[in-house]
């Protein structure tokens, strides 16, 4: 399986990819996470990336393409989470035999609610939602026991910008895959378990 998951910020791409990885062992490759790892290294390029991400813009195509390519190397089953987000990125992976592109569709109202309640662990890896996916102990990550925090780009102004960027740059990518007839759309407004069941059904996955 070589899957792409696309959708607006906060649509649940990471949550869906994480569940598929856990159940089916497809490797989740999150562009946002790879970029946050680059930022954590504190290099000059990492600092430039950080400024772009905090404002809710897109990191330059050549850089993201290179980082994602490196991560894909040698893997047979993977899920690209949040990549490609521009037509240029999409065309850069035209050589890959992508099985399906999953579009997690949610309206802006849902995005705002999900991102305002999102909390992540100190390492930025594990995701929770105060109301929908709470940790077992308030304020603490179930997995690595670090304190939970809010992502900087989940501030209202950044969310608004991310949604605008998504509409301008990523909706054309969704239309591109629709024309290629490999797009499957899932209504991702429901609660996490329900959405996950819809995803498995849409992808003909049993488990
Ligand atoms: P990235 O980290 O990919 O951010 P995003 O696309 O904006 O997506 P999010 O991580 O915010 O949300 P998600 O859809 O994964 O939802 P999640 O599962 O967390 O990218 C960050 C930045 O990096 C970008 O803005 C850009 O600057 C840069 N970047 C990344 N990729 C790039 C690229 N290809 N090119 C250029 N730049 C790039 O869920 C959200 C919340 O809702 C969580 O709290 C979760 O617990 C909760 N939740 C999930 N599902 C449900 C549900 N069904 N019901 C209720 N709550 C739910």
């Amino acid at each position: 399986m070589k899957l792409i998951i696309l959708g607006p910020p906060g649509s649940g791409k990471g949550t869906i990819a994480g569940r598929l990885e856990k159940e089916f062992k497809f490797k989740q490759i999150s562009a946002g996470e790879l970029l946050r790892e680059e930022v954590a290294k504190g290099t000059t390029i990492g600092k430039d990336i950080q400024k772009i991400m905090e404002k809710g813009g897109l990191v330059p195509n050549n850089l993201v393409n290179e980082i994602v390519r490196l991560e894909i190397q040698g893997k047979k089953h993977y899920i690209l989470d949040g990549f490609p987000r521009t037509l240029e990125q999409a065309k850069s992976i035209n050589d890959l035999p992508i099985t399906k592109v999953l579009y997690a569709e949610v309206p802006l109202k849902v995005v705002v609610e999900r991102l305002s309640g999102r909390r992540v662990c100190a390492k930025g890896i594990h995701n929770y939602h105060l109301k929908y996916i709470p940790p077992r102990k308030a304020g603490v990550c179930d997995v690595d026991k670090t304190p939970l925090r809010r992502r900087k780009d989940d501030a209202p102004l950044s969310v608004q910008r991310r949604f605008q960027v998504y509409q301008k740059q990523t909706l054309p990518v969704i239309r591109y895959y629709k024309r290629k007839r490999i797009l499957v759309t899932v209504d991702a407004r429901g609660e996490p378990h329900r959405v996950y069941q819809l995803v498995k059904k849409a992808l003909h996955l049993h488990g």
Side-chain angles (χ1 to χ4, degrees):
M1 170 73 82
K2 293 174 175 54
L3 179 70
I4 291 174
I5 304 189
L6 297 176
S11 52
K13 302 181 293 293
T15 303
I16 295 167
R19 288 179 188 211
L20 288 173
E21 179 175 74
K22 199 169 167 201
E23 187 170 0
F24 298 99
K25 312 285 175 248
F26 307 146
K27 177 74 186 148
Q28 175 183 4
I29 299 177
S30 156
E33 202 141 327
L34 291 171
L35 291 168
R36 281 186 285 279
E37 279 171 19
E38 211 51 49
V39 170
K41 290 180 194 159
T43 56
T44 313
I45 199 144
K47 285 179 185 149
D48 291 341
I49 293 175
Q50 185 174 22
K51 282 184 212 147
I52 299 170
M53 287 175 81
E54 283 180 5
K55 284 192 192 139
L58 287 184
V59 173
N61 289 322
N62 56 346
L63 203 68
V64 187
N65 291 349
E66 197 182 317
I67 291 176
V68 173
R69 270 278 168 184
L70 275 174
E71 200 62 25
I72 289 173
Q73 260 175 27
K75 298 191 175 72
K76 197 170 168 201
H77 300 285
Y78 53 78
I79 307 166
L80 296 178
D81 159 13
F83 180 91
R85 277 186 215 227
T86 66
L87 279 176
E88 193 179 324
Q89 290 177 15
K91 288 176 185 166
S92 84
I93 54 163
N94 266 345
D95 58 313
L96 301 178
I98 298 298
T99 322
K100 283 267 179 267
V101 178
L102 182 83
Y103 170 29
E105 191 175 29
V106 294
L108 177 61
K109 199 175 115 217
V110 175
V111 163
V112 171
E113 197 204 0
R114 289 193 184 165
L115 295 184
S116 60
R118 172 161 62 186
R119 295 295 180 271
V120 296
C121 69
K123 294 176 188 166
I125 301 170
H126 306 109
N127 253 325
Y128 301 87
H129 190 280
L130 292 178
K131 183 172 164 193
Y132 301 109
I133 311 177
R136 281 193 286 273
K137 186 174 170 204
V140 181
C141 176
D142 293 348
V143 185
D144 55 36
K145 312 294 174 207
T146 58
L148 298 183
R149 59 175 177 81
R150 208 171 165 182
R151 251 170 63 174
K152 277 203 177 146
D153 61 347
D154 282 347
L157 265 182
S158 297
V159 170
Q160 211 176 39
R161 168 111 175 91
R162 281 158 67 198
F163 197 79
Q164 283 165 355
V165 168
Y166 161 77
Q167 286 185 307
K168 193 164 173 221
Q169 307 260 42
T170 311
L171 279 181
V173 178
I174 289 164
R175 289 195 285 268
Y176 177 73
Y177 287 120
K178 191 172 183 186
R179 283 196 300 275
K180 283 185 168 242
R181 296 176 185 274
I182 52 170
L183 188 84
V184 283
T185 302
V186 162
D187 177 352
R189 283 173 302 178
E191 53 93 23
H193 179 71
R194 167 91 187 120
V195 172
Y196 186 54
Q197 296 311 313
L198 290 176
V199 166
K200 287 204 290 184
K201 196 170 166 201
L203 296 175
H204 307 291
L205 290 170
H206 307 284

